[in-house]
Amino acid sequence: MDARCPVRTLELTVQSVEGLQLDRKPATTKNNLFVVVRAESINSYTTCMAKEDATNNNLTWNHKLDVDVPLHASSITLEVKSKTLKGVKDVGIARVAVSEFMGGFGSVPQHCLQFLSYRLRDWEGRRNGVLNFSVRVVNSPEYVTAAAGKAVSPCGFKLRGTTMGATTSSSSCGGGVVVGVPIGWNSYGSSTYNNV
């Protein structure tokens, strides 16, 4: 069966977290923290366990993930979780609008590396630290043929000169840091975000 899924691929590197608390105490490596990334699909991507950065006492992952984002997705979520003896505990979540890094009017060009810091909230809506990550769009919106691994257009025609996962360098990429604070973060269909 020829399964075609409209996707874009992100190179997302979960870097570190600042000011994270667990049970009202500063989180440590003993809390076995990891991050799960979802892009409005059944697929999820998981980092390794956090390590402590000796220079600033932040918890770090520096874990690179290739995240397939469906074309219909309006946001991705990054969930910090703690592995305990009783199971997995939710610590904080950040929801990021896809429009922040996927192209479009006034956005950063494709293939440019962006560094983002997003406020985490617990499931009751309280602030709980800031998650730092970088993201780069590594392919154009295309249909990926699962069986053949070839790029095809939405009409089913093979795209000439297309290499899946190829990146191009650009010297026109601007620098800077965006801190996004979502409004209505716990609303699945919400697409309203504020940048601070």
Side-chain angles (χ1 to χ4, degrees):
M1 184 172 173
D2 188 32
R4 291 185 184 141
C5 306
V7 297
R8 301 180 199 189
T9 303
L10 298 180
E11 179 186 281
L12 190 147
T13 304
V14 181
Q15 296 173 327
S16 63
V17 67
E18 305 168 27
L20 188 69
Q21 293 197 343
L22 196 62
D23 298 325
R24 299 187 182 184
K25 297 177 184 175
T28 67
T29 54
K30 293 179 181 177
N31 296 125
N32 296 321
L33 297 169
F34 61 98
V35 178
V36 176
V37 179
R38 290 188 172 87
E40 294 183 20
S41 74
I42 60 172
N43 298 327
S44 63
Y45 306 85
T46 305
T47 66
C48 57
M49 296 296 176
K51 299 175 184 174
E52 191 166 340
D53 187 347
T55 58
N56 56 18
N57 294 326
N58 286 341
L59 296 174
T60 64
W61 290 275
N62 291 321
H63 192 125
K64 187 182 294 185
L65 302 166
D66 289 331
V67 179
D68 288 334
V69 180
L71 292 183
H72 70 269
S74 61
S75 66
I76 63 169
T77 56
L78 295 98
E79 302 171 37
V80 179
K81 297 178 178 282
S82 173
K83 187 175 182 180
T84 67
L85 293 174
K86 296 179 180 179
V88 176
K89 181 175 183 178
D90 295 317
V91 180
I93 184 171
R95 182 164 286 161
V96 183
V98 168
S99 60
E100 290 277 341
F101 43 78
M102 280 301 217
F105 180 74
S107 65
V108 177
Q110 185 170 303
H111 305 297
C112 289
L113 183 64
Q114 301 171 73
F115 293 89
L116 302 168
S117 295
Y118 264 72
R119 170 78 60 195
L120 291 168
R121 302 260 179 184
D122 65 18
W123 287 102
E124 295 176 1
R126 292 188 298 256
R127 294 180 177 189
N128 192 12
V130 174
L131 185 66
N132 303 306
F133 61 98
S134 66
V135 65
R136 177 195 332 251
V137 180
V138 295
N139 76 340
S140 299
E142 294 167 343
Y143 280 63
V144 176
T145 304
K150 296 179 181 176
V152 294
S153 74
C155 298
F157 301 107
K158 186 174 185 227
L159 299 175
R160 290 181 175 245
T162 302
T163 304
M164 294 303 293
T167 59
T168 57
S169 61
S170 172
S171 59
S172 63
C173 298
V177 176
V178 175
V179 179
V181 180
I183 296 175
W185 65 273
N186 59 352
S187 173
Y188 183 79
S190 173
S191 60
T192 306
Y193 297 83
N194 281 348
N195 289 331
V196 180

